[in-house]
Amino acid sequence: MENTRMYADSLTAVPSPAPLPTALPAPSDPTPTTAAPTTAAPASSRRRLLWHLGEMAVAMVAGMLLLAPLWELAGAALGVGDALARPEVAALVMATNMTVGMTVGMRYRAHRWHAVGEMAAAMYVPFLLLLVPFWAGLIDADALLLGGHLLMIPAMVLVAVRHRHEASAPIRRHRVVVALAHRWPAGLALLMTVDMWADPSVLSPWTMLVLPGGYLLIGMARRTLGGRGVLATQLAGLAAWGTLTLVAVVAGGRTAAWLVALGWLAHAGWDLAHHRGGRVVPRGYAEFCVVLDVALAALMMLAILTTDA
């Protein structure tokens, strides 16, 4: 069977290797020694499939985070906010947001348009199937949204399995696009702050406990806290931001707001140091945290400065 690449990470699709010869040896010829079959190929295929599904999930979430605020702004500007809030319309809008993100991700990974179209159908068909029982009053709005997402999972798997052996489409990517794709942790962090762009606000002081806690949890999972002074440094960070959290809770008001904003901003320096050192957490996570911390700190400062004392 001819093997094909699932993804194209270069400017053009990678050609498949030549097919194996089909001529059988003559009975008198000695039988060549063949390697024993291994599970390497199936395991590699499963990893590619799971990686593809994971990428689709991230792309769909990115589409929802980026496009949902735009729908809200458009609905308010055009006076159709109530129509967009109807459960059936909201479900189809959500499917559209996920489809846009998924399409961008799949085309960047050089999937062909017919595969993209089938994956888009996997986004819409589950919701469309549930519209009939919803309109008949057999299910409520929560069941419509939850059921659509649950049915979407096997539909996505079926499409991914169907196209897992297809050759990649030749796609030329601009250098700027490639550079931005390599900075996907930063892009994901910015997408997570989109909701606050139009309405900046100050987070609860207790959210600062997540900052050092994330490093400790990831370090324990990756077993990277065993170096000299590493665990002590992480515990010192936990103590510092824990103390800052308690001070902000006790102070309250505008003082607490400034402490929270400055606490998130200070943690960006912590992230940068870990990114440069490559210790405890993956560099991608540190990059994500740097951008998220700076963006949230800036938005919180904006909220403080634009709010009356």
Side-chain angles (χ1 to χ4, degrees), residues 291-304:
V291 177
L292 183 67
D293 293 350
V294 172
L296 289 178
L299 289 168
M300 285 188 280
M301 291 180 183
L302 179 62
I304 297 170

Side-chain angles (χ1 to χ4, degrees), residues 162-184:
R162 167 177 158 76
H163 294 282
R164 69 186 184 279
H165 293 310
E166 286 191 354
S168 302
I171 292 181
R172 300 187 64 87
R173 305 185 185 98
H174 195 278
R175 287 177 297 179
V176 175
V177 175
V178 175
L180 291 175
H182 288 167
R183 298 271 73 86
W184 70 266

Side-chain angles (χ1 to χ4, degrees), residues 82-169:
D82 292 338
L84 292 176
R86 294 176 55 183
E88 60 268 43
V89 178
L92 295 179
V93 167
M94 185 180 301
T96 300
N97 296 343
M98 291 187 290
T99 300
V100 171
M102 176 272 303
T103 300
V104 173
M106 289 187 70
R107 287 303 292 169
Y108 179 81
R109 282 300 190 184
H111 291 275
R112 298 183 181 275
W113 277 113
H114 63 276
V116 175
E118 291 184 15
M119 193 65 80
M123 305 293 105
Y124 284 101
V125 171
F127 290 113
L128 293 175
L129 291 176
L130 293 176
L131 284 181
V132 175
F134 173 74
W135 286 332
L138 301 177
I139 60 175
D140 58 11
D142 293 335
L144 171 65
L145 294 176
L146 178 60
H149 283 90
L150 292 178
L151 292 175
M152 191 183 300
I153 296 173
M156 290 176 58
V157 173
L158 288 175
V159 175
V161 170
R162 167 177 158 76
H163 294 282
R164 69 186 184 279
H165 293 310
E166 286 191 354
S168 302

Side-chain angles (χ1 to χ4, degrees), residues 44 52 68 121 123 127 138 141 154 181 194-195 213 232 237-238 246 258 262 295:
S44 177
H52 172 47
M123 305 293 105
F127 290 113
L138 301 177
V194 168
D195 286 342
L238 179 62
L246 294 177
W258 276 110
L262 294 175

